[in-house]
Amino acid sequence: MSDTTTTTGTAAARPLALVTGGASGIGLELAKQFATHGYDVAISGQSERVFDSAKTLADLGVEAYPFRGDAGTYDGVEGFWTFVTDLGRPVAAAALNVGIGVGGAFVDTDLDDELKLIAINVTGTVHMAKRVVQHMVAGGDGRILVVSSVSATTPTPYETVYGPSKAFGFSFAESLREELKDTGVSVTALLPGATNSEFHANAGMGNTKFGDNSWKNDKTLVAQQGYDALIAGDDHVVGGDEATKQAAIDNRTTPEPVKAARQAEAARPS
Ligand SMILES: NC(=O)c1ccc[n+]([C@@H]2O[C@H](COP(=O)([O-])OP(=O)(O)OC[C@H]3O[C@@H](n4cnc5c(N)ncnc54)[C@H](OP(=O)(O)O)[C@@H]3O)[C@@H](O)[C@H]2O)c1
């Protein structure tokens, strides 16, 4: 256990949060939220930059623990969990954030890419949730944030597997929440609208409306809303501006084919 003294107290005295995919994008912004509210943070990422991101977080006056591994493999997920538990401290909060997209027509996209998406967004989320839930329930305390998407509320043509993976996350979070309501462990889903990260570029969607980041929601705002909902113990929050929140409300009463056609216009490669 680290006993490093910093400006906001000692590591042993601070709560510990983990953020999967916390090396950049919404995950790094969530990690910053935890850090600025006095949590030490363990973050994972797939590339070397997770180490630089940890330095950025440490500059906020907390301990930051970087782990590099592939969240799409059993060993990568288990490795991050072992890394966190080896710190020898209770995990007070967990943001199950890591996720990828795959853009393009299903008839053309590569099966391996979509199986990887499912491995990260679905299988990896369930795997890490199992570890986190059993740990937190045993301690009778904890907060879990599952990063889903507004895509959970609509068909997502040209991101054909992505939206269903996020619908899984939303329903999974709400299901777990009910099961855990008397355990001291809360579960919250964050449903961001389109957000200005590297997500759509990484998903190969540069040649769609989503290739332009200028109109999207601000990732810092989205993360702040997610953190606030987590601390409030809300069941879910839509991340983004008022138009994004209204779109999520409208999606509840809009027929699936209508939403599918609208989504196709935005996501179809040009
Ligand atoms: N951006 C949006 O418009 C949007 C909207 C709704 C929901 N979301 C959801 O928000 C979450 C975060 O997305 P984002 O926008 O922040 O995406 P992003 O900018 O692409 O960041 C993804 C993060 O996950 C890490 N990562 C990717 N693949 C990984 C792997 N196989 N193993 C370990 N780490 C991996 C990346 O690590 P490196 O930095 O090392 O590459 C990066 O830190 C996702 O679940 C996504 O579905 C995003």
Side-chain angles (χ1 to χ4, degrees):
M1 185 184 297
S2 170
D3 62 356
T4 308
T5 302
T6 71
T7 51
T8 54
T10 62
R14 284 189 296 266
L16 176 66
L18 74 79
V19 182
T20 67
S24 61
I26 295 169
L28 178 56
E29 296 304 316
L30 283 168
K32 287 180 188 170
Q33 287 292 323
F34 284 116
T36 55
H37 289 91
Y39 288 74
D40 292 332
V41 277
I43 58 170
S44 69
Q46 65 177 343
S47 69
E48 283 291 325
R49 74 170 150 186
V50 70
F51 300 105
D52 284 339
S53 302
K55 287 185 192 137
T56 301
L57 293 165
D59 286 344
L60 297 173
V62 299
E63 293 292 308
Y65 306 99
F67 176 84
R68 186 180 178 193
D70 185 353
T73 66
Y74 186 95
D75 288 348
V77 177
E78 197 67 21
F80 184 40
W81 177 247
T82 301
F83 173 80
V84 171
T85 54
D86 281 352
L87 297 172
R89 300 164 54 182
V91 178
L96 309 184
N97 161 78
V98 66
I100 66 165
V102 175
F106 187 75
V107 68
D108 297 326
T109 47
D110 190 57
L111 176 62
D112 286 344
D113 290 342
E114 275 143 347
L115 294 181
K116 182 179 174 193
L117 182 158
I118 293 167
I120 295 172
N121 298 11
V122 179
T123 309
T125 298
V126 172
H127 183 162
M128 185 56 88
K130 180 69 79 179
R131 300 295 181 238
V132 167
V133 166
Q134 291 182 336
H135 171 86
M136 288 182 175
V137 169
D141 188 39
R143 297 178 187 281
I144 299 170
L145 186 71
V146 177
V147 180
S148 171
S149 171
V150 170
S151 294
T153 68
T154 175
T156 56
Y158 302 103
E159 300 174 272
T160 332
V161 181
Y162 174 71
S165 80
K166 294 281 115 177
F168 173 88
F170 187 22
S171 182
F172 178 61
E174 294 282 359
S175 304
L176 253 183
R177 175 186 176 80
E178 174 64 19
E179 283 186 37
L180 300 183
K181 66 183 178 187
D182 299 322
T183 66
V185 179
S186 70
V187 184
T188 300
L190 169 60
L191 278 61
T195 301
N196 64 349
S197 70
E198 297 168 13
F199 177 84
H200 291 104
N202 291 337
M205 297 180 71
N207 56 348
T208 72
K209 183 187 173 194
F210 295 101
D212 173 13
N213 259 351
S214 65
W215 60 271
K216 297 179 192 169
N217 290 293
D218 174 45
K219 61 190 173 190
T220 305
L221 172 69
V222 167
Q224 187 188 324
Q225 292 169 336
Y227 177 84
D228 289 349
L230 178 74
I231 298 307
D234 296 341
D235 74 298
H236 80 278
V237 64
V238 173
D241 59 15
E242 285 309 313
T244 300
K245 291 179 187 294
Q246 189 58 50
I249 293 168
D250 293 347
N251 277 351
R252 291 180 186 271
T253 52
T254 305
E256 305 306 310
V258 174
K259 290 185 287 188
R262 190 175 57 206
Q263 188 74 13
E265 282 305 308
R268 186 184 290 115
S270 57

